[in-house]
Amino acid sequence: MKENLIIGIAGGSGSGKTTLTNQIAKQFPEQVTVIKHDNYYKAHNDMDYEERSRLNYDHPNAFDTELMIRHLIALKKGESIECPVYDYTVHNRSKNTITVVPNKVIIVEGILIFENQELCDLMDIRIFVDTDADLRIIRRIQRDVMERARSLESVINQYLQTVKPMHEQYVEPSKKNANIIVPEGGYNQPAMEMIRNHIKTYLDGNQ
């Protein structure tokens, strides 16, 4: 009998993958653990804010994916982890960590989690949230300006300089590693229901 179910949820920035993740976690609040690739952005304490703001945060090398892999393996073994915390307002990793405890269902979320084969191999189900580029940039602008204290100009410049080209080079090709492709993510109710039923069936069989 399997100890846990590992679900990967990937997709471009603003695709709706966080909405999907949150809806799943909300429906199974005591049985789902979520870890986000964004929290594993590398620390850049040697740089000032302006230097950090110019970095490419949409390239695989921006993430400490090796640490995430070690943490996911630990969670699969039933061990708690100290997950890093990323502060978007200063473009750097926080000094704080969050204690994350394992559950029967573990969701791994991020734009590039399907780009790394070793990370992919740890997942039982890989879901790619596929959303039109125009909608993704609108959502990204709304989020970054309102929630992350970014200027409209900086969000647009970042999108044109790194987000869009990196999406085309890394995120979109990683879709081939998905088992399921969900248009619109958490806004796709039939797909949401299908995923919910699969998780419920798994949990009912592993009581």
Side-chain angles (χ1 to χ4, degrees), residues 45-70:
N45 299 321
D46 56 326
M47 299 181 181
D48 62 27
Y49 176 84
E50 292 301 324
E51 290 174 306
R52 292 195 300 269
S53 67
R54 291 193 293 269
L55 292 174
N56 182 351
Y57 290 96
D58 294 86
H59 190 281
N61 290 342
F63 299 89
D64 189 350
T65 303
E66 289 184 5
L67 177 60
M68 186 184 219
I69 290 168
R70 292 199 301 272

Side-chain angles (χ1 to χ4, degrees), residues 39 81-85 96-100:
N39 277 330
I81 63 166
E82 289 300 316
C83 180
V85 175
N96 301 321
T97 61
I98 298 174
T99 301
V100 177

Side-chain angles (χ1 to χ4, degrees), residues 180-195:
I180 303 167
I181 296 174
V182 177
E184 300 297 321
Y187 302 95
N188 186 327
Q189 288 307 311
M192 181 65 225
E193 187 69 12
M194 180 190 72
I195 295 164

